[in-house]
Amino acid sequence: MKTQILPAQQDNTAAIAAEIIKNNGLVAIPTETVYGLGANGLNEAAVAKIFAAKGRPQDNPLILHVADASDIEKFCHSIPQSAYQLAEAFWPGPLTMVLPARDTVPKCTTAGLPTVAVRCPDNAVTRQIIRLAGVPIAAPSANLSGKPSTTTAQHVLHDHDGRIDAIVDGGPCRVGVESTIVDLTEERPRLLRPGGITPEQLISVLGDLVIDKAVVGQINPNEVVKAPGMKYRHYAPQSEIVIVTGSREKAAAYIRKHITQQDRVLCFEEELELYKGCNPLSYGKESDASTLSAGLFAALRTLDDPAISKIYARCPEGGGVAYAVQNRLKKAAAFHIINGEEEG
Ligand code: AMP
Ligand code: MG
């Protein structure tokens, strides 16, 4: 199959993409978080194609993308007031809510769970495609399973050229990490994945938030978890990643002492000077975490090279969007973290 590239600003792009979705084909869609690999979320056969194209485990459910907040009533039941408050505050935007699923949502989309994840993306052309198709679009991130997520149309083409019908090219994604996921099906709201909407923002609306253990630590593959996606190795280039913590100077001293010709450094823009001669790659400014979230996956893709043996990475600290960057980088590093202050 020839994969069509449809520029977002082209007049007939939404109509062409919607037609493919209606015919149960696969279209990569731009969103403010990352590119999604989309299909008709109400059709088993269409959704099955997403799992096949990505090589995604069948027990990892997809997010249902809607054009308007009111659409969630078609796919969810027993919706708490807090869901409407969150939609009012943050939609369209990088927030996914997990709610009880109606029977209209096929098992393939929810991976057999009684709940479904829903989100209204902050991207006009993608919402127009959903409206014209007349169905919600089920979409996980458009990367091949396990690989760093796709934040440009070129990343999607690299992973899926000839294997999907079309890619809508909306330019680089603004946020750059996947949506925040909050589960609203229990007594207390639970953060399943940090993202562009921060824990602080959620608490400002909900007044309460439990942080799921999958957010902070490594999950045993046999464990039953709330967000099935959190247990898989994720976001990772081929080579090992080691996060080095500590002050700029101490971390640089540690890395410069241990680095070999086959290794690379993934650091903040402010640190490039400290790694002269070590071929460093910056993914954004430590002083502005939104540049780190926007740049992380493109950098991890650049470093996805079998010739690289080890990647020494610097990770931001603190809350806000930095919290989501930490979560992705620590998962990519399989929680391999060295304290540059202590190690010689
Ligand atoms: P992706 O956008 O590729 O990260 O995939 C969607 C994410 O949403 C995965 O981490 C899934 O585990 C999560 N997800 C989707 N549906 C549900 C659900 N019903 N309950 C909990 N997590 C979900
Ligand atoms: Mg993903």
Side-chain angles (χ1 to χ4, degrees):
M1 127 185 357
K2 169 115 183 75
T3 300
Q4 295 184 63
I5 308 285
L6 305 168
Q9 62 280 16
Q10 189 175 286
D11 284 345
N12 57 358
T13 282
I16 296 171
E19 208 48 40
I20 298 170
I21 297 290
K22 277 200 238 175
N23 291 324
N24 298 328
L26 293 182
V27 181
I29 49 169
T31 80
E32 78 283 28
T33 59
V34 301
Y35 276 74
L37 186 56
N40 177 352
L42 300 184
N43 183 282
E44 291 271 2
V47 172
K49 289 182 191 169
I50 299 176
F51 285 88
K54 277 188 61 108
R56 184 175 176 97
Q58 297 288 335
D59 68 348
N60 193 359
L62 309 181
I63 294 170
L64 214 46
H65 293 75
V66 297
D68 295 286
S70 58
D71 289 344
I72 64 176
E73 285 159 19
K74 297 182 206 156
F75 314 116
C76 310
H77 66 85
S78 315
I79 303 171
Q81 201 52 37
S82 56
Y84 293 102
Q85 290 164 343
L86 288 174
E88 178 67 29
F90 304 121
W91 277 6
L95 176 68
T96 296
M97 300 187 226
V98 173
L99 293 164
R102 284 193 189 277
D103 293 342
T104 44
V105 186
K107 291 271 170 281
C108 201
T109 301
T110 63
L113 295 174
T115 56
V116 62
V118 286
R119 173 167 112 82
C120 180
D122 185 15
N123 184 288
V125 72
T126 288
R127 286 203 308 278
Q128 184 62 3
I129 296 167
I130 298 167
R131 280 194 200 99
L132 294 176
V135 290
I137 294 185
S141 53
N143 53 286
L144 291 172
S145 207
K147 287 291 170 192
S149 298
T150 40
T151 56
T152 67
Q154 290 68 38
H155 294 161
V156 183
L157 194 65
H158 175 271
D159 284 14
H160 294 292
D161 194 10
R163 303 168 62 222
I164 63 176
D165 297 284
I167 301 169
V168 177
D169 185 352
C173 300
R174 174 172 60 80
V175 178
V177 293
E178 302 84 346
S179 58
T180 303
I181 305 182
V182 64
D183 181 2
L184 299 175
T185 63
E186 292 180 350
E187 206 164 312
R188 296 181 65 194
R190 178 182 290 268
L191 181 72
L192 301 184
R193 178 172 76 183
I197 299 299
T198 64
E200 296 85 344
Q201 285 176 298
L202 292 175
I203 290 168
S204 76
V205 172
L206 299 168
D208 182 29
L209 188 68
V210 178
I211 310 284
D212 195 78
K213 65 177 179 182
V215 172
V216 280
Q218 198 162 19
I219 298 294
N220 175 332
N222 300 319
E223 219 168 311
V224 176
V225 285
K226 289 294 281 179
M230 299 304 265
K231 71 184 178 195
Y232 293 106
R233 183 166 191 257
H234 249 109
Y235 319 119
Q238 299 167 55
S239 39
E240 177 193 4
I241 301 182
V242 180
I243 293 173
V244 182
T245 61
S247 70
R248 273 191 191 145
E249 290 68 28
K250 287 275 172 53
Y254 175 86
I255 292 170
R256 294 192 70 100
K257 182 173 166 193
H258 291 88
I259 196 164
T260 73
Q261 284 283 327
Q262 289 75 45
D263 301 338
R264 293 289 304 267
V265 182
L266 178 64
C267 66
F268 310 127
E269 202 177 302
E270 293 95 328
E271 298 179 329
L272 284 169
E273 281 286 304
L274 293 170
Y275 296 101
K276 270 202 183 129
C278 298
N279 198 7
L281 178 66
S282 143
Y283 65 110
K285 292 195 182 77
E286 187 180 23
S287 57
D288 180 358
S290 69
T291 64
L292 297 172
S293 73
L296 178 65
F297 285 129
L300 289 178
R301 282 183 166 261
T302 302
L303 298 177
D304 189 13
D305 176 347
I308 298 173
S309 138
K310 195 184 274 190
I311 299 164
Y312 290 99
R314 294 283 287 153
C315 184
E317 299 194 341
V321 179
Y323 192 58
V325 175
Q326 281 161 36
N327 168 267
R328 303 308 191 275
L329 200 49
K330 285 180 182 172
K331 281 187 189 289
F335 292 86
H336 189 178
I337 301 167
I338 287 174
N339 186 344
E341 301 275 339
E342 287 173 7
E343 309 287 325

